[in-house]
Amino acid sequence: MYVHFWGTRGSLPVSLTAEAVRGKIRRALQESRKHRLRTDREIEAFLESLPFSVRGTYGGNTPCVEIGGGTETVLCDAGTGIRDFGNAFLKSGCGSGNRPAVFHLFISHLHWDHIQGFPFFVPAYIPGNRIVVYGAHRDLRRYFMRQQENPFFPVTLKAMRGSLRFVTLQEGKDYDIAGLTVRTVRQSHPGESFGYSFRKGGKKVVYSTDAEHKGEASEESDRFVSFYRGADLLVFDAQYTLLDAIDTKENWGHSSNLTGVELAVRAGVKRLCLFHTEHSYPDEMIEQFYQDTREYLKIHDETNPLEILAAYDGLFLEI
Ligand SMILES: [Zn+2]
Ligand SMILES: [Zn+2]
């Protein structure tokens, strides 16, 4: 299996401003004073040595994650990242002409940031392609239609020429979809959201975003510990710092990085990926947040081999 992140920010897409780009260039140039940079190879090595917040960006798009390794394409959520996914997919030569494709799209819930990219998913406009949209909410089709109704968007869902099918899943039941075993879990979030686990050949990936977890020891958390149990990768809603989560933003439907560590440790997860990062945090702040999370793991359970990652648009992980 593999996981490819196309959109990782929470609530709103984020673009770099001219000022932020200039700040990154300035920092890189300051750092470069200590280095000899005559050849392209030396420049590449220097770039690699810079912190990610200087040489890159956490982005970017709202949630869209590709779960690879099945017999057909599997995606979680249709945030703005699905636009980049669709365009890259078409560039590969699939999804058009005599090579139509099937896409299985799992929707966590219907908040804008999880569906707003769908009208820009070009493969859905191409006859021959099939898109199956799964979710555990009722009336998925109606809400997808509404998003593209006048006056919100100029092209209706019906005008999309690919075939679209909507499937309602039941919580806790195993489904065999595109060669993967898929299960869903109900999560605490305004209007409810659903997490998904995908298993294949002894590997397990969990996509669990837009979920508010309270307290490490509650009965509610036992349900998630068992859902996350033994995951090779847990994609986790870590929108807030702990202070935000318990103070100003309690009941906003999201969790903190520290809760993610506690649940991942209890569930014996191998890799924890901080996801749905807060849109108002600049890159340096997310980097600090990521370092703090790793520090917290040392305090919480020093010998635990859990690997912690911060998601960014373009991150590709072999599972
Ligand atoms: Zn969200
Ligand atoms: Zn939400």
Side-chain angles (χ1 to χ4, degrees):
M1 294 178 80
Y2 68 83
V3 174
H4 194 164
F5 292 84
W6 296 90
T8 56
R9 278 290 175 135
S11 309
L12 267 183
V14 176
S15 61
L16 279 179
T17 59
E19 192 192 341
V21 173
R22 197 183 168 103
K24 286 174 193 284
I25 295 171
R26 186 185 305 112
R27 258 197 79 185
L29 289 173
Q30 286 164 347
E31 285 294 318
S32 75
R33 289 186 189 129
K34 298 172 237 154
H35 295 258
R36 189 192 127 98
L37 299 173
R38 299 263 167 78
T39 66
D40 286 353
R41 187 182 289 188
E42 283 168 351
I43 291 173
E44 260 321 303
F46 165 67
L47 289 177
E48 210 42 52
S49 73
L50 292 170
F52 184 75
S53 63
V54 178
R55 69 183 149 87
T57 177
Y58 290 95
N61 285 309
T62 49
C64 180
V65 176
E66 179 186 356
I67 312 287
T71 52
E72 288 161 332
T73 300
V74 172
L75 297 166
C76 291
D77 281 332
T80 58
I82 201 170
R83 182 191 64 150
D84 287 354
F85 164 79
N87 293 341
F89 189 85
L90 291 174
K91 243 189 211 161
S92 76
C94 299
S96 61
N98 55 5
R99 297 178 71 189
V102 182
F103 304 90
H104 301 271
L105 173 58
F106 293 85
I107 299 294
S108 61
H109 64 311
L110 292 146
H111 283 162
W112 275 341
D113 52 325
H114 299 260
I115 60 169
Q116 68 195 156
F118 195 74
F120 300 91
F121 182 46
V122 179
Y125 290 88
I126 299 173
N129 287 334
R130 290 197 291 130
I131 296 113
V132 190
V133 184
Y134 304 86
H137 290 83
R138 282 204 196 149
D139 295 330
L140 268 186
R141 176 191 291 275
R142 184 153 64 94
Y143 297 118
F144 265 70
M145 283 179 83
R146 191 179 287 177
Q147 172 174 238
Q148 289 181 231
E149 267 168 16
N150 190 29
F152 303 115
F153 196 72
V155 186
T156 63
L157 197 72
K158 277 198 174 142
M160 291 176 133
R161 306 277 308 282
S163 98
L164 263 175
R165 192 157 67 88
F166 290 82
V167 175
T168 309
L169 302 177
Q170 279 174 29
E171 191 195 1
K173 208 173 144 184
D174 277 344
Y175 294 88
D176 185 359
I177 297 168
L180 305 175
T181 305
V182 186
R183 189 184 288 201
T184 181
V185 68
R186 189 179 303 270
Q187 305 177 135
S188 169
H189 193 67
E192 288 194 330
S193 70
F194 291 85
Y196 294 96
S197 72
F198 301 89
R199 286 174 286 142
K200 191 193 172 188
K203 299 285 182 185
K204 178 175 174 180
V205 172
V206 176
Y207 177 79
S208 178
T209 191
D210 294 64
E212 183 162 357
H213 299 276
K214 303 202 189 213
E216 195 194 345
S218 72
E219 238 174 68
E220 181 66 5
S221 75
D222 290 346
R223 207 162 60 85
F224 287 96
V225 168
S226 91
F227 193 77
Y228 298 163
R229 175 80 58 208
D232 296 275
L233 176 70
L234 168 61
V235 180
F236 188 82
D237 171 355
Q239 181 148 0
Y240 302 140
T241 61
L242 184 66
L243 193 62
D244 277 344
I246 58 174
D247 185 11
T248 49
K249 290 167 180 171
E250 190 178 5
N251 298 325
W252 284 29
H254 298 285
S255 292
S256 79
N257 50 341
L258 308 192
T259 307
V261 169
E262 289 164 10
L263 288 171
V265 164
R266 280 181 63 198
V269 166
K270 295 190 183 72
R271 282 197 277 187
L272 168 69
C273 188
L274 307 177
F275 184 74
H276 202 276
T277 35
E278 164 64 25
H279 54 89
S280 63
Y281 293 173
D283 285 323
E284 312 81 67
M285 202 167 153
I286 294 181
E287 200 152 72
Q288 187 60 50
F289 180 70
Y290 165 56
Q291 298 299 350
D292 292 348
T293 313
R294 297 175 77 183
E295 287 300 316
Y296 180 69
L297 174 64
K298 284 191 206 152
I299 297 162
H300 182 70
D301 186 347
E302 200 182 355
T303 57
N304 198 288
L306 175 68
E307 187 188 338
I308 299 170
L309 305 156
Y312 60 90
D313 297 10
L315 176 65
F316 183 94
L317 300 172
E318 293 276 2
I319 304 298

